[in-house]
């Protein structure tokens, strides 16, 4: 994987070519590999934003929209869409395109949440992100709505987490 290209202080883009070792039994990139790329790219952004180590606490709404083939140019775009005291909500879009073509397709989308922690694993405060544009405001509202929906699902699932 190539080094991340930082587009500004709240966005990061990774670009690389998918490898034969990324393939699943169906001949396309394995979903687990795509999830690994999402986690790596989002971690890079979360640690850069917070200035500390960050841990994944939630990945939600991941949708595999179209397959990624071996040899495709893969682009993983991450952006901060909401911050709380110690958490960072990051929107991730994964695109694919054949290197011989110009048209890219969105392959995957999700929201991933990281929490910044210190050396002992204690949560640490992160810089606040404030939306400016209408699109930024809409993205933050989307992240907040998803957070509220997760709380309802968590409440519903509590009975299944007990022994």
């Amino acid at each position: 994987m190539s080094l991340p290209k930082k587009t500004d202080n709240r966005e990061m883009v990774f670009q690389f070519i998918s490898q034969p070792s990324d393939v699943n039994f169906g001949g396309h990139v394995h979903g687990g590999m795509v999830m690994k790329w999402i986690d790596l790219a989002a971690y890079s952004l979360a640690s850069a934003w917070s200035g500390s180590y960050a841990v994944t606490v939630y990945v939600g709404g991941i949708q595999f929209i179209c397959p990624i083939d071996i040899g495709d140019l893969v682009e993983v775009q991450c952006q901060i869409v909401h911050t709380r005291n110690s958490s960072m909500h990051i929107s991730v879009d994964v695109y694919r395109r054949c290197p011989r073509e110009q048209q890219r397709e969105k392959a995957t989308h999700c929201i991933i949440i990281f929490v910044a922690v210190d050396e002992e694993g204690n949560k640490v405060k992160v810089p606040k992100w404030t939306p400016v544009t209408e699109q930024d405001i809409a993205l933050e509202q989307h992240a907040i709505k998803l957070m509220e929906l997760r709380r309802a699902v968590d409440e519903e699932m509590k009975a299944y987490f007990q022994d």
Side-chain angles (χ1 to χ4, degrees):
M1 186 175 291
S2 66
L3 292 175
K5 179 181 88 176
K6 197 168 185 182
T7 55
D8 73 14
N9 63 353
R10 70 168 275 243
E11 296 180 16
M12 194 168 287
V13 177
F14 280 31
Q15 289 185 338
F16 51 92
I17 301 288
S18 59
Q19 303 293 310
S21 59
D22 302 333
V23 72
N24 65 16
F25 296 110
H28 302 291
V29 170
H30 192 281
M33 184 59 66
V34 176
M35 291 167 59
K36 178 181 176 180
W37 297 336
I38 288 168
D39 194 53
L40 289 171
Y43 165 77
S44 296
L45 178 57
S47 62
W49 180 267
S50 66
S52 68
Y53 185 66
V55 295
T56 309
V57 295
Y58 180 83
V59 180
I62 189 164
Q63 295 185 359
F64 296 99
I65 302 163
C66 74
I68 299 171
D69 293 323
I70 300 309
D72 279 351
L73 177 64
V74 178
E75 184 175 300
V76 183
Q77 295 182 350
C78 304
Q79 64 179 338
I80 301 280
V81 294
H82 181 60
T83 56
R84 299 192 58 138
N85 190 41
S86 62
S87 66
M88 298 151 282
H89 298 228
I90 299 171
S91 175
V92 182
D93 290 313
V94 180
Y95 295 91
R96 53 99 21 223
R97 75 172 174 87
C98 175
R100 298 176 304 279
E101 300 171 4
Q102 295 302 311
Q103 186 67 27
R104 69 180 188 170
E105 296 177 90
K106 185 181 284 189
T108 308
H109 170 78
C110 73
I111 297 285
I112 186 168
I113 301 172
F114 279 83
V115 169
V117 296
D118 63 17
E119 294 80 18
E120 288 80 39
N122 300 309
K123 295 178 183 180
V124 297
K125 190 167 179 60
V126 300
K128 178 160 178 49
W129 174 72
T130 304
V132 176
T133 68
E134 286 185 30
Q135 182 181 9
D136 289 347
I137 292 167
L139 286 169
E140 183 177 55
Q141 291 303 314
H142 177 68
I144 291 168
K145 182 176 183 178
L146 290 175
M147 188 172 48
E148 293 165 357
L149 291 170
R150 277 192 307 278
R151 285 186 185 128
V153 169
D154 288 349
E155 190 62 34
E156 184 69 26
M157 295 297 295
K158 274 186 180 177
Y160 296 99
F161 294 138
Q162 298 174 2
D163 289 338

